[in-house]
Amino acid sequence: MAKILMKGNEAIALAAIKGGVDAFYGYPITPQNEVPEYLSKHLIDLGKVFLQAESEVSAINMVYGAAGAGARVMTSSSSPGIALKQEGISYIAAAELPCVICSVMRGGPGLGSIQPSQGDYYQATRGGGNGDYQLIVYAPESIQETIDIMKDAFNVADFYRNPVLVLVDGLIGQMMESVDFDRPVKERKLPPKDWATNGTKNHPGRRNVANSLHLDPYGLEQHNIHLQKKYKEIAKNETAYELINMENAEYVIVAYGTMARICRSAIEMLNEKGIKVGMIRPITLWPYPEIAFEQIPEKAKGILCCELSMGQMLDDVLIANNGKHKVGFFGRSGGVLPDPEEIVDAITNFKDKVVK
C-alpha cells in the first residue's frame, strides 16, 4: 500500500482495523469523533461490531463484556469521557482482560476546551480508577507512529492480558500527514485465550469466570501480588523511548507527543546558536523510561521538562533524575501551543525555569 494522506483520528480507526479489532463501543465527544465515525462506516461491512452506547459508562462496560468473551475490542474518547470510563477500566484491569483504549486529549480541567492538551498524564499513568493497577500507556509523536502503535496495541493487550491506552492529543487527532499502513509490527507468539467466557468447547468440563470481585482479603492480596509481578515483566520488556542528540548535550529536554515535535524545532535552533541540546522522548508513559536518564551526560547543565500541561510528567522526570541534575519546567495549558522560540528562551534562561 502506497503512502496516503490521512487525518489522525481516521488513521487511528483504520489502524485498529488493520490490528484486527473485532468490536468497538463508544460515545461521541470532540476532538475524537472521527474515530467512531470512521469505524461506524467500515466495521459492519467487515462483519465486525460497532455500537454507539448511551453513555461512556455503558461503552466501557460493553468493552468489559466483549473482552471477557475473548474479542479484540476497543473504545475511544477524550478527557472527560475517559474520566467517566475509569471505574470500568479498573474492573477490566483487575479481571486481566485485554482491550485497547484511545484517548484524544483536550484542554481541561472540567469541560475545558476542544483544543489539544497533555493535561491527562496523571489520569493515564496514575490510574483514575480504584486500586493497585496499571495500564500500558503509549504516547506517539506522529500519526505514523500512532498507526504503528495501534496495530501492535491489540497484540500487546492480548500478550499481557492487560488494557492498553494509546494517548494522543487533539492536534494529532485532527492534523493530516502522509502515512504507510504496511509497516510491520513486532511479531509476538500470543497465548491461547483459554480464559475467555465463550462457551466450553475450548475448555471442556469447566466454566470460565471473568471477575474483579475478591471477598477474601488474603485472596485479593495474592491477586494484587500476581498483578505486580506482571507489571514488572511489562516494565522489563515494553519500556520504549527515543534519544535525540544526547552525545555531549549541555541541556536535555524531556517531552512527548506534540510537545516533542515542537521541541525538535527548538533543538535545531539552539544548535545553530552553538548550544548543544538533546532530548529524551518517552514513547511509553507507563512503564516510564527511567533508564533513559542514565544516558544524560554527567556534565549536562540541566534537564528541561516540556509539557502541554501545568507539570504532570514533571513528577516522573524528578524521580528518574534522582537529584543528579537541575530540573526546570516549561509548560503551556488550555490548548495553547508554544512556538519553538519559547523553548529556546527557556533553555537560554534555564536558571529561571529551575524547580529543583
Side-chain angles (χ1 to χ4, degrees), residues 196-247:
T197 58
N198 55 3
T200 58
K201 67 177 182 179
N202 296 322
H203 41 87
R206 62 183 175 86
R207 184 179 68 162
N208 284 348
V209 176
N211 180 42
S212 69
L213 178 65
H214 299 265
L215 295 178
D216 173 30
Y218 297 102
L220 179 54
E221 182 180 44
Q222 289 305 308
H223 182 59
N224 274 288
I225 291 170
H226 160 71
L227 290 177
Q228 293 304 314
K229 288 181 180 178
K230 178 173 73 172
Y231 299 150
K232 287 181 180 179
E233 190 70 16
I234 293 169
K236 177 182 175 182
N237 298 330
E238 304 301 331
T239 303
Y241 57 92
E242 181 184 9
L243 298 177
I244 301 159
N245 298 339
M246 291 293 287
E247 189 175 354

Side-chain angles (χ1 to χ4, degrees), residues 1-20:
M1 183 176 180
K3 282 192 173 184
I4 58 173
L5 187 66
M6 201 165 190
K7 191 172 188 176
N9 283 335
E10 293 179 344
I12 288 168
L14 180 54
I17 292 173
K18 297 284 187 180

Side-chain angles (χ1 to χ4, degrees), residues 70-118:
R72 283 197 155 184
V73 58
M74 74 169 287
T75 189
S76 67
S77 192
S78 185
S79 311
I82 295 292
L84 287 167
K85 296 175 190 281
Q86 292 301 322
E87 180 186 37
I89 291 171
S90 177
Y91 287 6
I92 293 168
E96 292 193 272
L97 299 177
C99 69
V100 175
I101 304 157
C102 184
S103 176
V104 183
M105 293 179 284
R106 57 190 270 171
L111 286 175
S113 74
I114 64 171
Q115 305 304 318
S117 174
Q118 294 178 332

Side-chain angles (χ1 to χ4, degrees), residues 57-319:
V57 175
S58 295
I60 195 63
N61 282 286
M62 292 175 183
V63 169
Y64 187 2
R72 283 197 155 184
V73 58
M74 74 169 287
T75 189
S76 67
S77 192
S78 185
S79 311
I82 295 292
L84 287 167
K85 296 175 190 281
Q86 292 301 322
E87 180 186 37
I89 291 171
S90 177
Y91 287 6
I92 293 168
E96 292 193 272
L97 299 177
C99 69
V100 175
I101 304 157
C102 184
S103 176
V104 183
M105 293 179 284
R106 57 190 270 171
L111 286 175
S113 74
I114 64 171
Q115 305 304 318
S117 174
Q118 294 178 332
D120 299 345
Y121 185 93
Y122 285 154
Q123 182 189 69
T125 62
R126 297 312 193 255
N130 58 294
D132 293 319
Y133 75 94
Q134 293 287 349
L135 307 182
I136 303 167
V137 183
Y138 292 98
E141 178 191 34
S142 65
I143 298 176
Q144 182 65 64
E145 189 173 44
T146 305
I147 290 168
D148 297 341
I149 286 171
M150 280 296 303
K151 286 168 61 179
D152 190 41
F154 293 95
N155 291 336
V156 174
D158 281 348
F159 189 85
Y160 293 103
R161 287 183 60 184
N162 205 77
V164 170
L165 177 63
V166 180
L167 191 68
V168 302
D169 61 69
L171 184 63
I172 292 175
Q174 293 297 318
M175 65 191 276
M176 298 184 75
E177 285 186 324
S178 178
V179 294
D180 180 359
F181 281 88
D182 288 337
R183 289 174 28 146
V185 298
K186 179 180 178 180
E187 291 187 11
R188 299 173 187 268
K189 186 176 180 180
L190 301 179
K193 294 188 175 182
D194 52 8
W195 45 263
T197 58
N198 55 3
T200 58
K201 67 177 182 179
N202 296 322
H203 41 87
R206 62 183 175 86
R207 184 179 68 162
N208 284 348
V209 176
N211 180 42
S212 69
L213 178 65
H214 299 265
L215 295 178
D216 173 30
Y218 297 102
L220 179 54
E221 182 180 44
Q222 289 305 308
H223 182 59
N224 274 288
I225 291 170
H226 160 71
L227 290 177
Q228 293 304 314
K229 288 181 180 178
K230 178 173 73 172
Y231 299 150
K232 287 181 180 179
E233 190 70 16
I234 293 169
K236 177 182 175 182
N237 298 330
E238 304 301 331
T239 303
Y241 57 92
E242 181 184 9
L243 298 177
I244 301 159
N245 298 339
M246 291 293 287
E247 189 175 354
N248 299 319
E250 299 174 58
Y251 295 94
V252 173
I253 291 172
V254 185
Y256 70 94
T258 290
M259 182 58 101
R261 296 171 71 115
I262 299 169
C263 289
R264 286 182 188 270
S265 297
I267 289 170
E268 291 180 6
M269 296 167 67
L270 286 159
N271 286 339
E272 289 175 3
K273 291 175 176 286
I275 304 173
K276 295 181 179 179
V277 179
M279 181 162 70
I280 296 172
R281 181 176 73 88
I283 299 172
T284 53
L285 299 184
W286 196 91
Y288 194 74
E290 294 184 14
I291 191 173
F293 288 73
E294 297 176 4
Q295 303 302 313
I296 297 175
E298 288 187 12
K299 294 183 179 180
K301 297 176 183 177
I303 301 168
L304 183 68
C305 176
C306 296
E307 302 179 57
L308 297 177
S309 76
M310 300 307 294
Q312 297 185 22
M313 184 177 67
L314 177 61
D315 287 349
D316 284 329
V317 171
L318 290 169
I319 292 169

